[in-house]
Amino acid sequence: DCQMPEMDGYEATHAIRDPNSTVRNHAIPIIAMTANAMKGDREECLAVGMDDYVAKPINPHKLAEAIERHLPDEPREDSSLQEGAIATRSEQSSNKTSTKCPYNKPKALERVGGDEDLFDELVAIFLDDAPNALTQVHQAVSSGDPEVITRTAHTLKGSLEVLAADDAVHAALAVETLGRSGNLAGVQEATAALAGEVKRLTITLQRETAEVIPTE
């Protein structure tokens, strides 16, 4: 991950490729994952020694293709069967998804390879983490620190992207962009809009979670 705190993807790659480091395999394939998708990002990743580049939100098929490009040839399951299973589950889910839903469940399921159980785990994690994540964004805005605002909004945006909550993602991106620019005019309003979208998403996920819990 190119934007991890303390040691980002670029620094990690330098350490892995350094022949004097304690890394056991200096030639291990490295695939960059970043939410920026800015012009020149791919070239920068390759220049520091990475082997490939995948932009967030991660598409499981594209990630699998990137991994396979850098691994020895081995027999693999027919991808058309996997895609068929994902499409079937997505169609079933779309019948239950309101057009006004704050997230796109079929798209979110596709991002986890159609794994309903994994999706449910991610929803549970989000519901546990969202209040704290939003609090961190508010605290960062209160402190007026552009770097912290950028980092906290970026982290929350990543969680929202996994759930394909596009409106909330755009709201988080607006806060992140203001922090990155250093111009915090309007950041309070942008943060309030983000809080509203996260609340709307949280309420929807909580309601859907309660509906699938069997009653005694």
Side-chain angles (χ1 to χ4, degrees):
D1 189 326
C2 292
Q3 296 191 34
M4 287 292 289
E6 297 187 17
M7 176 181 283
D8 61 27
Y10 303 112
E11 294 173 304
T13 300
H14 279 302
I16 292 170
R17 298 297 187 228
D18 182 357
N20 297 317
S21 71
T22 58
V23 174
R24 295 175 60 186
N25 181 2
H26 299 291
I28 191 169
I30 300 175
I31 299 173
M33 294 195 300
T34 178
N36 279 347
M38 302 292 288
K39 184 177 180 181
D41 280 353
R42 180 183 179 85
E43 290 74 15
E44 183 177 1
C45 290
L46 297 178
V48 299
M50 299 184 189
D51 298 283
D52 217 321
Y53 173 99
V54 179
K56 294 180 180 177
I58 299 301
N59 180 305
H61 299 301
K62 291 182 179 179
L63 178 58
E65 290 172 359
I67 293 172
E68 289 173 359
R69 279 196 294 270
H70 302 284
L71 292 179
D73 292 334
E74 294 180 356
R76 60 178 179 173
E77 183 179 352
D78 188 343
S79 60
S80 64
L81 296 178
Q82 298 175 346
E83 292 173 0
I86 292 172
T88 299
R89 290 195 178 189
S90 296
E91 290 171 3
Q92 292 172 345
S93 300
S94 64
N95 294 330
K96 302 176 183 178
T97 305
S98 167
T99 56
K100 296 182 180 180
C101 185
Y103 78 107
N104 187 325
K105 187 172 182 179
K107 185 187 293 185
L109 276 170
E110 183 179 357
R111 289 175 181 171
V112 296
D115 189 328
E116 294 270 7
D117 291 335
L118 177 56
F119 172 77
D120 291 342
E121 289 181 20
L122 292 174
V123 168
I125 291 172
F126 175 80
L127 291 176
D128 284 340
D129 292 350
N132 183 53
L134 200 55
T135 296
Q136 290 178 348
V137 174
H138 280 298
Q139 291 175 342
V141 171
S142 297
S143 69
D145 186 329
E147 182 178 348
V148 179
I149 291 172
T150 301
R151 185 171 65 249
T152 53
H154 177 82
T155 300
L156 180 55
K157 184 183 70 175
S159 300
L160 295 167
E161 285 175 334
V162 171
L163 296 174
D166 291 345
D167 289 344
V169 167
H170 292 153
L173 177 60
V175 177
E176 179 186 356
T177 301
L178 287 171
R180 198 179 299 281
S181 71
N183 182 359
L184 302 184
V187 72
Q188 295 282 356
E189 293 80 359
T191 305
L194 172 59
E197 291 298 337
V198 171
K199 180 178 180 180
R200 192 164 70 95
L201 175 62
T202 299
I203 291 172
T204 298
L205 293 173
Q206 288 175 333
R207 183 178 66 247
E208 292 181 353
T209 300
E211 288 174 354
V212 300
I213 296 177
T215 56
E216 296 182 354

